[in-house]
Amino acid sequence: MKCNKLVLAAALVATSSYSMSQTSNEFVVEDIRVEGLQRVALGAALTYLPVQRGDTLNRFRTTQLIRSLYSSTHFEKVELYRDGNVLIVSVAERPTISNIVFEGNDDIKDEQLQESLDSSNIRIGEPLDRTVISSIETGLKDFFYSIGKYNAEVTAIVTPLPRNRVDVKLLFEEGDAAEIRQINIVGNKVFEDDELFKQMELKFDAPWWNFLSETRYQQQTLAGDMEIIESYYKDRGYLQFAITSTQVSMTPEKDGIYVTLNVTEGEQYNVSEIELSGDLLGFEDFISKVLPLKEGDLYNQAEVTFTEEFIANYLGRFGYAYPTVTTIPEINDEDKTVKLTLRVDPGKRIYVRRISFKGNQVTADDVLRQSVVQMEGSWLANRSLETSKAQLSRLTYMESVEFATIRLPGQDDKVDVEFTVKEQASGSFNAGIGYGDATGLSLQAGVQQDNFLGSGKRVGISLNTVSYQKSAQLTYLDPYFTIDGISLGGNIGYSEFDGGDFGLIQYSSKRWSIGANLGYPINEVNRISFGVTYSSVELGANTQPFVQTTRFYEQFADSGDPDAPINYDSITGSVSWTRNTLNRGLFPSDGSSQRASFSTTTPNSEVNFFKLTSDAKWYFPLTRNQRWTVLARLRLGYGNGYGDENGLEQILPFNENFTAGGADTLRGFENNTVGPRGIQLIRSNLITSPSGVPILGNRETNSIALSNRSLGGNAMALGGLELIVPTPFVDSEFDNSVRTSLFYDVGNVWDTEFQYDQYKDLEVVQVSNRGNVIETLPDFGDWKQYRSSAGVSLQWISPMGPMVFSFSRALKEREGDDAKFFTFNIGSTF
């Protein structure tokens, strides 16, 4: 059977060279047959045909039919045939993409490449449009050229597979980036080249030690540097400064770049007058009084921009979310002054219709809504939105938070607010492992869930059977016990503690306690809390009669049985204040946090003492992306007794002493080994009080022995600096879960009640820890006897909880200190 070919694939466009006479080629279609279909159903294919049975097919209908089939994106080849009055449509479907592979790309991540392909509708499972392959290759080459890689090559390889499928591979040969050989600035007279070069991010001929300098040419970085130079001039009064032209030339080998900037500096201008115009909603007097711009000052572009933002943000507090503030300069070249007119258009007051959340898989919307201060139905306030974002970000189970305002079609005074959150693990398996000469192997374990069942409540249970402690504790906290942010928490616990295995002096204790606390928000960043705890403590017999411990024991010891354990009950009240402006709950990089607390036992308790503690952290980002940040830390503590018991002045119980050493305090030292040591009097004719307290008699016969372990002290001062740096070999997208820092720790624990003059002349006869002889008694009451260390720390929020690896070296240590190079902890607090 002979068929007449109507149109070839190459002639299926409006400019087709195919020609036929209307009279000889027009015919009435009696039937339509489609050939070559594989994946596309016949019914779907027929829907793309603008010709039906009974229609007359002519040149116009033929072109229209071909365009319709191609616009369906299912076919890469179409041919039309005529068999009598039967129209035959022969098609070749586009192959389906089976797999997409990227190879050789270093500067572009796979995710970024896939996003670029998605915009061209090239993704697995979709038909491949071969016509866009070359444009993708060209676009990717342009990207590499923009970052100075002029030898880069991008090749797309399409491999046919059975069943009309293909594999797509993008093969990259990036090559080396071109280095900047020289930067020239032409036309500058006011500022020297070196001063302008300091402002630029791009560098040339940088010294080897300046590893942060960017010597690779990047088009976007150069554009940013040009803006920086322009701002540098305009912030210093050069209102008419301009970069008139830019030349970028390349070496023949395409490995070096020469950049030339031609500038016109102009003259300096002073502000002669500032005028406010437009609708300021009755705030003219207030705004004019607080404007940063002042008449008579040198013109400053940064101040002008800040003033515009200040006015817009101020109006945004009252629901005018989209104000327009424009500064119109009127230049007077005769006296080199400029009049600034600030024209304000507040627009309409915007109200919030609905607040929604996206991305929360575990946390309930109601829990997130508790941290949002922007209310539905009220006007949109930019300050409320930023505060809401900050409070959500501080939740320990949130990795990132963003928000967007969505304007409603046909309603120019209403918006929806959508918060997009990314959750992170809200539970932690708290564990630690370590080894020390004094403590031996130590292990601990526990579980805490900061977002229990997505409710935002914190529930923790800890069961420990480590070498130094057996304990069980249950904690609970509801941060939004009431709708206005009052929190309610409680805890109940029991523990058996062995100080000797904890790196302290040898003593044992048993404690059980129950407590509750209430927290009240003062504002978005400040909170005050009150708590009360009842505890019962049993201290084992004073088997090692150190001077410091005996002084406490004798208040409760039974003269008839001095070796019996002592027991005391107490009720402790506490008040604490916290302030938190951190940008994240875990791994913050900006902001600060401060906490101060005061706790004291009530007068009707069997022991009377108080403790003051404070803890502060400040983060100072060094770069815009906050990957380089400085952290400053300070922790202070002081405690003492009040009143008297059995005629003796009460002191802080030694089991309440502060200790230092280890991952959370002083890295580089064994856990809890920093601080005063126990003192024992050795005398041939020992005279004691009825309760067993040694009485200093003939000094010539006295000597002292020091314990191998620390006793702790009633005063503490710890601090440190950390430089947070990008983690090597880890992408920036993991900065919220992996952190590396270089640290310097410094601090001390001392005893303000220690009477050094009573013991300084006595001979030290006992060898200290690890065979180090202490020839003279240290002054355990001297706060200046500090220790310090430095090192590197790696922190990782693992599925089991936070993990910390620290390598450190003691820089300043005292006789008898137990230095430690490596520590590893799971479940530490950041």
Side-chain angles (χ1 to χ4, degrees):
M1 176 171 52
K2 183 178 179 180
C3 298
N4 294 323
K5 190 171 184 180
L6 297 178
V7 183
L8 296 175
L12 299 182
V13 293
T15 57
S16 171
S17 61
Y18 169 79
S19 63
M20 62 181 180
S21 67
Q22 292 286 90
T23 57
S24 62
N25 290 282
E26 289 184 358
F27 69 95
V28 177
V29 178
E30 295 180 355
D31 196 10
I32 299 174
R33 190 164 70 242
V34 182
E35 298 177 348
L37 294 176
Q38 295 181 6
R39 179 174 50 85
V40 181
L42 176 60
L46 292 175
T47 61
Y48 300 121
L49 297 178
V51 177
Q52 299 179 2
R53 294 176 183 177
D55 292 343
T56 299
L57 184 65
N58 53 29
R59 183 183 181 88
F60 173 76
R61 286 280 182 90
T62 299
T63 302
Q64 190 180 33
L65 184 153
I66 294 169
R67 284 179 174 173
S68 178
L69 288 173
Y70 272 111
S71 65
S72 70
T73 71
H74 292 298
F75 310 108
E76 65 177 4
K77 184 178 180 182
V78 178
E79 293 179 338
L80 302 182
Y81 297 90
R82 174 182 177 182
D83 183 9
N85 287 335
V86 177
L87 174 63
I88 301 174
V89 181
S90 178
V91 298
E93 294 183 358
R94 289 178 177 175
T96 302
I97 299 174
S98 176
N99 193 24
I100 300 176
V101 178
F102 308 110
E103 186 175 310
N105 53 305
D106 292 326
D107 277 331
I108 312 182
K109 299 179 182 178
D110 288 358
E111 294 79 5
Q112 293 175 303
L113 289 170
Q114 189 57 59
E115 289 178 3
S116 176
L117 297 181
D118 287 344
S119 63
S120 301
N121 202 34
I122 295 182
R123 58 174 67 89
I124 295 176
E126 296 291 333
L128 173 64
D129 184 357
R130 299 177 190 268
T131 61
V132 303
I133 293 295
S134 60
S135 63
I136 289 175
E137 291 176 336
T138 302
L140 291 174
K141 284 184 182 180
D142 290 340
F143 169 80
F144 284 113
Y145 293 167
S146 71
I147 61 174
K149 293 194 172 184
Y150 293 98
N151 292 312
E153 292 292 337
V154 181
T155 305
I157 302 174
V158 180
T159 304
L161 298 174
R163 301 191 304 276
N164 199 25
R165 296 177 300 125
V166 293
D167 275 352
V168 178
K169 175 187 285 188
L170 286 174
L171 185 62
F172 298 86
E173 295 181 10
E174 295 184 350
D176 295 327
E179 297 284 334
I180 299 177
R181 299 287 176 84
Q182 190 171 352
I183 300 176
N184 299 307
I185 302 178
V186 180
N188 56 308
K189 299 178 181 178
V190 178
F191 301 111
E192 297 292 336
D193 288 355
D194 289 343
E195 186 172 354
L196 297 178
F197 290 155
K198 290 178 182 178
Q199 316 306 318
M200 301 177 65
E201 184 176 348
L202 289 179
K203 305 291 182 182
F204 70 97
D205 195 25
W208 65 268
W209 48 264
N210 190 4
F211 58 89
L212 292 178
S213 62
E214 180 57 79
T215 58
R216 298 191 316 171
Y217 172 74
Q218 297 193 46
Q219 183 178 350
Q220 292 180 342
T221 306
L222 177 60
D225 284 342
M226 293 168 60
E227 292 182 2
I228 290 173
I229 292 177
E230 182 175 353
S231 298
Y232 189 77
Y233 272 91
K234 290 186 175 181
D235 291 349
R236 288 156 179 79
Y238 295 91
L239 175 61
Q240 295 183 316
F241 171 85
I243 299 177
T244 55
S245 63
T246 305
Q247 291 87 39
V248 178
S249 58
M250 189 188 316
T251 61
E253 296 79 12
K254 296 183 180 181
D255 61 351
I257 296 291
Y258 293 87
V259 179
T260 301
L261 304 178
N262 297 285
V263 304
T264 301
E265 293 178 323
E267 301 289 338
Q268 278 186 314
Y269 289 81
N270 290 307
V271 178
S272 61
E273 184 181 352
I274 301 171
E275 180 179 331
L276 295 173
S277 66
D279 185 5
L280 279 84
L281 306 172
F283 299 117
E284 294 89 342
D285 293 340
F286 174 79
I287 292 177
S288 61
K289 290 178 181 179
V290 299
L291 278 181
L293 289 173
K294 301 297 179 184
E295 296 180 3
D297 288 352
L298 200 64
Y299 176 83
N300 188 316
Q301 181 66 45
E303 291 288 343
V304 172
T305 302
F306 177 77
T307 300
E308 293 174 346
E309 294 174 350
F310 168 78
I311 295 175
N313 289 333
Y314 183 76
L315 297 180
R317 295 183 179 185
F318 305 97
Y320 297 91
Y322 304 106
T324 301
V325 183
T326 306
T327 302
I328 303 173
E330 297 180 27
I331 299 175
N332 187 333
D333 288 326
E334 294 182 0
D335 59 3
K336 299 299 182 290
T337 60
V338 57
K339 175 185 175 182
L340 301 178
T341 301
L342 297 170
R343 182 171 296 171
V344 180
D345 179 11
K348 287 189 175 183
R349 176 172 278 181
I350 307 298
Y351 292 85
V352 177
R353 184 189 69 166
R354 182 181 297 112
I355 297 175
S356 60
F357 301 91
K358 184 173 68 173
N360 50 314
Q361 303 296 322
V362 176
T363 311
D365 284 5
D366 291 343
V367 175
L368 299 178
R369 200 175 297 275
Q370 291 169 343
S371 297
V372 176
V373 298
Q374 172 69 59
M375 305 299 292
E376 293 178 343
S378 66
W379 66 58
L380 179 68
N382 51 14
R383 183 176 180 182
S384 296
L385 288 177
E386 291 295 340
T387 301
S388 301
K389 176 184 174 181
Q391 294 192 164
L392 285 169
S393 299
R394 292 183 197 122
L395 298 174
T396 56
Y397 42 88
M398 287 296 148
E399 181 176 335
S400 62
V401 179
E402 298 296 336
F403 69 83
T405 55
I406 304 171
R407 306 194 76 162
L408 302 179
Q411 301 186 55
D412 56 0
D413 62 343
K414 290 183 180 180
V415 297
D416 285 345
V417 177
E418 182 178 76
F419 286 90
T420 301
V421 302
K422 183 178 180 181
E423 296 173 312
Q424 63 185 7
S426 59
S428 63
F429 171 71
N430 301 323
I433 182 171
Y435 184 84
D437 293 338
T439 60
L441 184 67
S442 59
L443 300 167
Q444 61 182 22
V447 177
Q448 178 171 298
Q449 175 62 255
D450 289 349
N451 187 20
F452 185 67
L453 299 180
S455 65
K457 298 179 176 63
R458 179 182 300 171
V459 177
I461 182 170
S462 175
L463 299 172
N464 294 334
T465 57
V466 297
S467 59
Y468 58 84
Q469 187 177 37
K470 296 179 180 179
S471 67
Q473 186 173 27
L474 178 65
T475 59
Y476 171 84
L477 176 66
D478 184 352
Y480 284 92
F481 179 64
T482 65
I483 194 172
D484 52 358
I486 294 178
S487 63
L488 173 66
N491 63 84
I492 183 171
Y494 172 80
S495 68
E496 296 180 5
F497 182 77
D498 187 333
D501 288 337
F502 194 55
L504 300 173
I505 63 169
Q506 184 65 52
Y507 75 91
S508 63
S509 69
K510 296 180 181 179
R511 176 196 298 265
W512 74 269
S513 62
I514 184 171
N517 61 80
L518 280 173
Y520 296 86
I522 301 174
N523 52 34
E524 293 86 354
V525 298
N526 290 276
R527 172 177 288 267
I528 188 170
S529 300
F530 301 91
V532 61
T533 301
Y534 170 79
S535 61
S536 178
V537 178
E538 177 186 299
L539 280 176
N542 190 17
T543 57
Q544 291 181 300
F546 299 113
V547 172
Q548 301 98 318
T549 59
T550 303
R551 183 181 173 189
F552 177 74
Y553 269 100
E554 74 170 344
Q555 299 178 69
F556 303 97
D558 183 355
S559 57
D561 188 6
D563 295 331
I566 64 173
N567 297 274
Y568 61 86
D569 297 340
S570 62
I571 299 176
T572 303
S574 63
V575 57
S576 64
W577 162 78
T578 58
R579 179 180 180 272
N580 190 340
T581 63
L582 299 176
N583 61 341
R584 282 192 296 272
L586 284 177
F587 287 167
S589 56
D590 193 9
S592 64
S593 67
Q594 296 84 33
R595 185 179 189 276
S597 66
F598 172 75
S599 61
T600 180
T601 58
T602 58
N604 61 330
S605 299
E606 294 179 345
V607 291
N608 297 128
F609 65 90
F610 65 89
K611 295 179 79 171
L612 283 164
T613 60
S614 66
D615 200 342
K617 295 180 180 179
W618 298 270
Y619 290 85
F620 304 98
L622 301 179
T623 56
R624 292 182 180 179
N625 60 12
Q626 299 183 359
R627 299 195 72 193
W628 294 78
T629 301
V630 171
L631 163 62
R633 296 176 285 104
L634 179 64
R635 183 183 299 178
L636 302 174
Y638 175 74
N640 216 328
Y642 70 90
D644 57 74
E645 180 73 20
N646 297 327
L648 297 174
E649 182 181 355
Q650 295 217 39
I651 61 173
L652 184 70
F654 65 88
N655 58 318
E656 295 285 348
N657 279 347
F658 299 106
T659 61
D664 292 335
T665 52
L666 274 174
R667 288 163 286 194
F669 294 88
E670 180 62 73
N671 291 334
N672 310 301
T673 59
V674 173
R677 299 180 180 276
I679 297 177
Q680 286 182 301
L681 288 179
I682 301 176
R683 189 166 47 216
S684 57
N685 297 316
L686 186 63
I687 303 174
T688 62
S689 67
S691 59
V693 179
I695 299 176
L696 292 178
N698 300 320
R699 287 186 175 271
E700 64 275 6
T701 62
N702 290 337
S703 58
I704 59 175
L706 297 180
S707 67
N708 290 340
R709 309 290 181 84
S710 173
L711 178 71
N714 70 327
M716 170 187 64
L718 303 171
L721 289 173
E722 291 194 42
L723 175 61
I724 299 169
V725 301
T727 303
F729 313 113
V730 176
D731 291 337
S732 59
E733 61 185 287
F734 298 105
D735 284 349
N736 291 344
S737 57
V738 180
R739 168 167 287 184
T740 301
S741 63
L742 307 175
F743 65 83
Y744 171 76
D745 290 347
V746 62
N748 191 25
V749 173
W750 68 99
D751 183 359
T752 63
E753 299 296 310
F754 181 67
Q755 302 296 321
Y756 179 63
D757 291 339
Q758 290 186 351
Y759 309 101
K760 64 179 182 179
D761 298 327
L762 302 182
E763 179 186 3
V764 179
V765 299
Q766 183 160 320
V767 176
S768 180
N769 193 27
R770 296 187 299 157
N772 295 330
V773 177
I774 300 179
E775 297 180 354
T776 58
L777 175 68
D779 185 357
F780 296 136
D782 185 4
W783 64 271
K784 297 186 294 296
Q785 299 291 316
Y786 67 92
R787 282 82 163 170
S788 65
S789 64
V792 60
S793 177
L794 175 65
Q795 306 172 11
W796 172 39
I797 302 179
S798 71
M800 294 188 300
M803 302 179 68
V804 182
F805 306 85
S806 297
F807 300 87
S808 51
R809 177 181 177 84
L811 302 179
K812 184 76 171 179
E813 54 184 311
R814 303 295 174 181
E815 289 181 303
D817 284 345
D818 189 1
K820 190 174 185 180
F821 173 71
F822 173 72
T823 57
F824 162 58
N825 279 76
I826 302 177
S828 296
T829 301
F830 300 98

